[in-house]
Amino acid sequence: LIEQVVLNIVHNAIEAMKDCPRENRVLSIRTNVAGGFARVVIEDRGPGIAENQLDSIFECFTSTKDDGLGIGLSICRSIVEEHGGRLWAETGTGRGGIFQFTLPVDS
């Protein structure tokens, strides 16, 4: 299920950058472990996320895409929370979106 979370967020990032010039399309995935939690950070250089949408994009049937169903990010958040973690979004510095989630790790 965690793999599906990553795939969904990466797929959304790729779609977000489809209208960007090819040379500006950058997608990065970083991980680290600290304080008993693993953190995954997925960042793109697409058009970004409006500040007023940072929470609502996780609501069921809310989509920023013309053809989106608005269930993917809601399901992703539910999966992460069921595993004891947290999923959130931020606006990128300058351009793009950042999705992060944490999951507890066994000691």
Side-chain angles (χ1 to χ4, degrees):
L1 290 174
I2 300 304
E3 180 180 355
Q4 291 302 310
V5 170
V6 172
L7 288 174
N8 186 74
I9 295 171
V10 166
H11 184 263
N12 287 349
I14 291 168
E15 283 185 337
M17 294 186 292
K18 75 178 189 291
D19 293 329
C20 296
R22 184 181 280 291
E23 63 274 7
N24 293 346
R25 296 177 195 168
V26 176
L27 174 66
S28 67
I29 302 171
R30 299 182 309 276
T31 61
N32 71 326
V33 177
F37 285 87
R39 178 180 296 224
V40 177
V41 181
I42 302 168
E43 186 172 0
D44 68 63
R45 292 227 186 122
I49 307 162
E51 195 75 34
N52 64 345
Q53 293 179 320
L54 290 174
D55 288 324
S56 65
I57 59 174
F58 293 102
E59 294 173 9
C60 207
F61 306 116
T62 299
S63 180
T64 58
K65 302 181 220 173
D66 292 335
D67 60 348
L69 297 176
I71 59 173
L73 289 174
S74 175
I75 292 170
C76 287
R77 181 174 264 180
S78 295
I79 290 169
V80 169
E81 289 176 352
E82 283 295 317
H83 284 83
R86 183 173 162 250
L87 168 65
W88 69 96
E90 299 175 354
T91 56
T93 53
R95 188 169 175 88
I98 303 169
F99 284 82
Q100 299 185 58
F101 65 92
T102 57
L103 295 168
V105 293
D106 293 334
S107 46

